[in-house]
Amino acid sequence: MITIDGGTGVILSNGVEVASEKMVDEWRTTTDQSHGSGVNIIDEYWERNDSYFALIGKSMTESSGVFSFPLTGIYLVTASVSFYSSSGAMAYQGCLIQASTDNFSSSIVIGNNYSSSGDTNYYSSTTARAVFDVTDTSTHKVRLATNFPGTGSIQGSSITQRTCFNFTRLAST
């Protein structure tokens, strides 16, 4: 049986939500960035994808690499990082999705993945995914970080998605 909750306007089928507000947004870094050894937050050169993409629903906001959600809900968060090693093989390159429920007074890694490069002048990429339950838009946030030994760079582009985030709202929380 399909019903509409009178208090929230949520459409239910046998008590299960079937038509939540949709939202899809994509962001990317626009320029290459050098990073040193260890964990580095990607906190600059972000832009919304404006190539072959149209925002669906409400938009994410970004400030110094911290992304805020427009609505509460369950989100699929996908991050990709493209790496370039110019000074020799790198044992690993990590893509880390960091999340916080307290405006980054503290954080946890909710998704990560690693790749490795084999030689000097070598490109690699890795993608991480996580589902994040945003119960409060004023405190629940995410950001992208990298982790690698030595010095390397991440690749950016104002035309394609190289180092990027994709946010998809799956359902209400």
Side-chain angles (χ1 to χ4, degrees):
M1 172 195 300
I2 295 182
T3 58
I4 298 175
D5 183 298
T8 64
V10 173
I11 300 171
L12 306 168
S13 175
N14 297 321
V16 177
E17 181 182 356
V18 294
S20 63
E21 186 172 346
K22 303 300 179 228
M23 178 267 184
V24 177
D25 201 0
E26 288 188 340
W27 288 72
R28 63 181 169 218
T29 58
T30 58
T31 190
D32 298 350
Q33 300 172 51
S34 294
H35 284 210
S37 180
V39 174
N40 292 278
I41 308 301
I42 301 173
D43 59 0
E44 55 188 354
Y45 306 112
W46 286 102
E47 75 167 9
R48 176 171 287 108
N49 180 359
D50 56 2
S51 305
Y52 312 106
F53 172 78
L55 174 69
I56 298 170
K58 296 182 179 176
S59 61
M60 298 291 292
T61 55
E62 180 270 336
S63 177
S64 299
V66 174
F67 288 83
S68 300
F69 295 85
L71 302 163
T72 59
I74 309 295
Y75 287 83
L76 173 61
V77 179
T78 304
S80 295
V81 179
S82 292
F83 298 95
Y84 176 68
S85 171
S86 61
S87 59
M90 294 178 69
Y92 59 86
Q93 298 102 28
C95 170
L96 295 83
I97 301 172
Q98 296 181 338
S100 178
T101 58
D102 61 7
N103 286 314
F104 280 103
S105 292
S106 63
S107 67
I108 60 169
V109 174
I110 60 171
N112 67 62
N113 201 5
Y114 284 82
S115 63
S116 62
S117 64
D119 205 350
T120 302
N121 300 320
Y122 194 86
Y123 292 91
S124 67
S125 65
T126 188
T127 298
R129 291 179 183 82
V131 173
F132 188 43
D133 185 359
V134 178
T135 58
D136 185 337
T137 59
S138 67
T139 59
H140 288 58
K141 315 221 184 259
V142 294
R143 65 187 178 196
L144 181 56
T146 60
N147 183 16
F148 47 85
T151 301
S153 66
I154 61 167
Q155 302 297 289
S157 173
S158 61
I159 301 168
T160 62
Q161 301 297 94
R162 287 188 179 161
T163 298
C164 56
F165 256 135
N166 178 284
F167 303 94
T168 304
R169 186 173 187 269
L170 302 173
S172 296
T173 189

mmCIF file of all heavy atoms in Angstrom, residues 26-46:
data_model
loop_
_atom_site.group_PDB
_atom_site.id
_atom_site.type_symbol
_atom_site.label_atom_id
_atom_site.label_comp_id
_atom_site.label_asym_id
_atom_site.label_seq_id
_atom_site.Cartn_x
_atom_site.Cartn_y
_atom_site.Cartn_z
ATOM 1 N N GLU A 26 29.062 16.762 -8.325
ATOM 2 C CA GLU A 26 30.443 16.379 -8.591
ATOM 3 C C GLU A 26 31.356 17.584 -8.434
ATOM 4 O O GLU A 26 31.035 18.680 -8.891
ATOM 5 C CB GLU A 26 30.602 15.821 -10.015
ATOM 6 C CG GLU A 26 30.022 14.471 -10.225
ATOM 7 C CD GLU A 26 30.378 13.889 -11.584
ATOM 8 O OE1 GLU A 26 30.752 14.641 -12.508
ATOM 9 O OE2 GLU A 26 30.287 12.670 -11.706
ATOM 10 N N TRP A 27 32.501 17.347 -7.825
ATOM 11 C CA TRP A 27 33.519 18.371 -7.638
ATOM 12 C C TRP A 27 34.866 17.803 -8.072
ATOM 13 O O TRP A 27 35.074 16.597 -8.067
ATOM 14 C CB TRP A 27 33.585 18.771 -6.166
ATOM 15 C CG TRP A 27 32.405 19.573 -5.718
ATOM 16 C CD1 TRP A 27 31.125 19.122 -5.519
ATOM 17 C CD2 TRP A 27 32.383 20.960 -5.434
ATOM 18 N NE1 TRP A 27 30.325 20.144 -5.119
ATOM 19 C CE2 TRP A 27 31.065 21.289 -5.058
ATOM 20 C CE3 TRP A 27 33.343 21.963 -5.465
ATOM 21 C CZ2 TRP A 27 30.698 22.580 -4.703
ATOM 22 C CZ3 TRP A 27 32.978 23.245 -5.108
ATOM 23 C CH2 TRP A 27 31.670 23.545 -4.736
ATOM 24 N N ARG A 28 35.816 18.696 -8.411
ATOM 25 C CA ARG A 28 37.151 18.267 -8.815
ATOM 26 C C ARG A 28 38.164 19.352 -8.472
ATOM 27 O O ARG A 28 37.826 20.521 -8.297
ATOM 28 C CB ARG A 28 37.183 17.982 -10.310
ATOM 29 C CG ARG A 28 36.904 19.211 -11.149
ATOM 30 C CD ARG A 28 36.912 18.884 -12.618
ATOM 31 N NE ARG A 28 36.406 19.994 -13.408
ATOM 32 C CZ ARG A 28 35.639 19.854 -14.473
ATOM 33 N NH1 ARG A 28 35.266 18.652 -14.875
ATOM 34 N NH2 ARG A 28 35.246 20.894 -15.148
ATOM 35 N N THR A 29 39.435 18.945 -8.425
ATOM 36 C CA THR A 29 40.505 19.923 -8.288
ATOM 37 C C THR A 29 40.914 20.354 -9.695
ATOM 38 O O THR A 29 40.870 19.566 -10.634
ATOM 39 C CB THR A 29 41.717 19.358 -7.534
ATOM 40 O OG1 THR A 29 42.211 18.212 -8.221
ATOM 41 C CG2 THR A 29 41.341 18.987 -6.105
ATOM 42 N N THR A 30 41.296 21.604 -9.825
ATOM 43 C CA THR A 30 41.554 22.168 -11.150
ATOM 44 C C THR A 30 43.023 22.230 -11.526
ATOM 45 O O THR A 30 43.349 22.543 -12.670
ATOM 46 C CB THR A 30 40.981 23.595 -11.239
ATOM 47 O OG1 THR A 30 41.588 24.392 -10.210
ATOM 48 C CG2 THR A 30 39.476 23.584 -11.083
ATOM 49 N N THR A 31 43.916 21.959 -10.602
ATOM 50 C CA THR A 31 45.344 22.093 -10.900
ATOM 51 C C THR A 31 46.133 21.008 -10.176
ATOM 52 O O THR A 31 45.679 20.471 -9.161
ATOM 53 C CB THR A 31 45.845 23.499 -10.498
ATOM 54 O OG1 THR A 31 47.156 23.695 -10.996
ATOM 55 C CG2 THR A 31 45.838 23.702 -9.006
ATOM 56 N N ASP A 32 47.305 20.688 -10.700
ATOM 57 C CA ASP A 32 48.201 19.729 -10.052
ATOM 58 C C ASP A 32 48.697 20.334 -8.740
ATOM 59 O O ASP A 32 48.873 21.555 -8.634
ATOM 60 C CB ASP A 32 49.396 19.407 -10.946
ATOM 61 C CG ASP A 32 49.006 18.757 -12.259
ATOM 62 O OD1 ASP A 32 47.828 18.368 -12.419
ATOM 63 O OD2 ASP A 32 49.884 18.634 -13.128
ATOM 64 N N GLN A 33 48.922 19.457 -7.748
ATOM 65 C CA GLN A 33 49.393 19.919 -6.443
ATOM 66 C C GLN A 33 50.465 18.970 -5.930
ATOM 67 O O GLN A 33 50.266 17.760 -5.920
ATOM 68 C CB GLN A 33 48.241 19.951 -5.442
ATOM 69 C CG GLN A 33 47.096 20.864 -5.836
ATOM 70 C CD GLN A 33 45.911 20.716 -4.910
ATOM 71 O OE1 GLN A 33 46.065 20.789 -3.691
ATOM 72 N NE2 GLN A 33 44.732 20.506 -5.463
ATOM 73 N N SER A 34 51.593 19.522 -5.483
ATOM 74 C CA SER A 34 52.651 18.717 -4.878
ATOM 75 C C SER A 34 52.344 18.522 -3.406
ATOM 76 O O SER A 34 51.901 19.451 -2.731
ATOM 77 C CB SER A 34 54.003 19.406 -5.035
ATOM 78 O OG SER A 34 54.359 19.456 -6.398
ATOM 79 N N HIS A 35 52.606 17.307 -2.943
ATOM 80 C CA HIS A 35 52.389 16.987 -1.530
ATOM 81 C C HIS A 35 53.605 16.260 -0.989
ATOM 82 O O HIS A 35 54.259 15.506 -1.710
ATOM 83 C CB HIS A 35 51.157 16.093 -1.368
ATOM 84 C CG HIS A 35 49.868 16.838 -1.508
ATOM 85 N ND1 HIS A 35 48.727 16.472 -0.865
ATOM 86 C CD2 HIS A 35 49.531 17.941 -2.212
ATOM 87 C CE1 HIS A 35 47.737 17.293 -1.173
ATOM 88 N NE2 HIS A 35 48.213 18.192 -2.004
ATOM 89 N N GLY A 36 53.859 16.473 0.274
ATOM 90 C CA GLY A 36 54.951 15.787 0.939
ATOM 91 C C GLY A 36 54.502 14.454 1.511
ATOM 92 O O GLY A 36 53.363 14.030 1.340
ATOM 93 N N SER A 37 55.392 13.824 2.203
ATOM 94 C CA SER A 37 55.160 12.502 2.778
ATOM 95 C C SER A 37 54.066 12.533 3.846
ATOM 96 O O SER A 37 53.911 13.516 4.562
ATOM 97 C CB SER A 37 56.467 12.005 3.397
ATOM 98 O OG SER A 37 56.286 10.735 3.949
ATOM 99 N N GLY A 38 53.310 11.462 3.925
ATOM 100 C CA GLY A 38 52.282 11.312 4.957
ATOM 101 C C GLY A 38 50.901 11.695 4.463
ATOM 102 O O GLY A 38 50.633 11.761 3.269
ATOM 103 N N VAL A 39 49.991 11.958 5.417
ATOM 104 C CA VAL A 39 48.612 12.302 5.100
ATOM 105 C C VAL A 39 48.519 13.796 4.818
ATOM 106 O O VAL A 39 49.001 14.612 5.603
ATOM 107 C CB VAL A 39 47.657 11.915 6.254
ATOM 108 C CG1 VAL A 39 46.247 12.397 5.983
ATOM 109 C CG2 VAL A 39 47.679 10.409 6.480
ATOM 110 N N ASN A 40 47.933 14.147 3.680
ATOM 111 C CA ASN A 40 47.759 15.541 3.279
ATOM 112 C C ASN A 40 46.299 15.781 2.905
ATOM 113 O O ASN A 40 45.733 15.046 2.085
ATOM 114 C CB ASN A 40 48.627 15.862 2.057
ATOM 115 C CG ASN A 40 50.104 15.828 2.379
ATOM 116 O OD1 ASN A 40 50.648 16.779 2.893
ATOM 117 N ND2 ASN A 40 50.747 14.709 2.079
ATOM 118 N N ILE A 41 45.696 16.812 3.471
ATOM 119 C CA ILE A 41 44.332 17.207 3.139
ATOM 120 C C ILE A 41 44.357 17.976 1.821
ATOM 121 O O ILE A 41 45.199 18.863 1.639
ATOM 122 C CB ILE A 41 43.721 18.108 4.242
ATOM 123 C CG1 ILE A 41 43.857 17.459 5.619
ATOM 124 C CG2 ILE A 41 42.285 18.478 3.909
ATOM 125 C CD1 ILE A 41 43.193 16.122 5.755
ATOM 126 N N ILE A 42 43.454 17.658 0.919
ATOM 127 C CA ILE A 42 43.343 18.415 -0.333
ATOM 128 C C ILE A 42 42.367 19.557 -0.060
ATOM 129 O O ILE A 42 41.149 19.361 -0.026
ATOM 130 C CB ILE A 42 42.864 17.522 -1.490
ATOM 131 C CG1 ILE A 42 43.845 16.361 -1.675
ATOM 132 C CG2 ILE A 42 42.736 18.335 -2.772
ATOM 133 C CD1 ILE A 42 43.404 15.328 -2.671
ATOM 134 N N ASP A 43 42.920 20.741 0.189
ATOM 135 C CA ASP A 43 42.094 21.839 0.696
ATOM 136 C C ASP A 43 42.007 23.058 -0.221
ATOM 137 O O ASP A 43 41.480 24.097 0.175
ATOM 138 C CB ASP A 43 42.589 22.274 2.071
ATOM 139 C CG ASP A 43 44.033 22.744 2.080
ATOM 140 O OD1 ASP A 43 44.675 22.745 1.007
ATOM 141 O OD2 ASP A 43 44.526 23.095 3.162
ATOM 142 N N GLU A 44 42.480 22.929 -1.459
ATOM 143 C CA GLU A 44 42.378 24.069 -2.362
ATOM 144 C C GLU A 44 42.168 23.633 -3.805
ATOM 145 O O GLU A 44 42.309 22.459 -4.134
ATOM 146 C CB GLU A 44 43.599 24.979 -2.250
ATOM 147 C CG GLU A 44 44.918 24.298 -2.469
ATOM 148 C CD GLU A 44 46.094 25.208 -2.165
ATOM 149 O OE1 GLU A 44 45.904 26.412 -1.894
ATOM 150 O OE2 GLU A 44 47.224 24.716 -2.205
ATOM 151 N N TYR A 45 41.813 24.597 -4.631
ATOM 152 C CA TYR A 45 41.581 24.426 -6.070
ATOM 153 C C TYR A 45 40.374 23.544 -6.407
ATOM 154 O O TYR A 45 40.366 22.847 -7.409
ATOM 155 C CB TYR A 45 42.839 23.893 -6.780
ATOM 156 C CG TYR A 45 44.062 24.719 -6.523
ATOM 157 C CD1 TYR A 45 45.119 24.207 -5.783
ATOM 158 C CD2 TYR A 45 44.143 26.028 -6.991
ATOM 159 C CE1 TYR A 45 46.247 24.969 -5.531
ATOM 160 C CE2 TYR A 45 45.275 26.796 -6.746
ATOM 161 C CZ TYR A 45 46.319 26.260 -6.013
ATOM 162 O OH TYR A 45 47.437 27.025 -5.764
ATOM 163 N N TRP A 46 39.328 23.579 -5.580
ATOM 164 C CA TRP A 46 38.114 22.805 -5.837
ATOM 165 C C TRP A 46 37.133 23.613 -6.679
ATOM 166 O O TRP A 46 36.989 24.816 -6.486
ATOM 167 C CB TRP A 46 37.435 22.412 -4.524
ATOM 168 C CG TRP A 46 38.139 21.325 -3.776
ATOM 169 C CD1 TRP A 46 38.946 21.465 -2.692
ATOM 170 C CD2 TRP A 46 38.083 19.928 -4.060
ATOM 171 N NE1 TRP A 46 39.406 20.239 -2.280
ATOM 172 C CE2 TRP A 46 38.885 19.271 -3.104
ATOM 173 C CE3 TRP A 46 37.435 19.155 -5.028
ATOM 174 C CZ2 TRP A 46 39.050 17.891 -3.080
ATOM 175 C CZ3 TRP A 46 37.604 17.776 -4.995
ATOM 176 C CH2 TRP A 46 38.407 17.161 -4.034
#
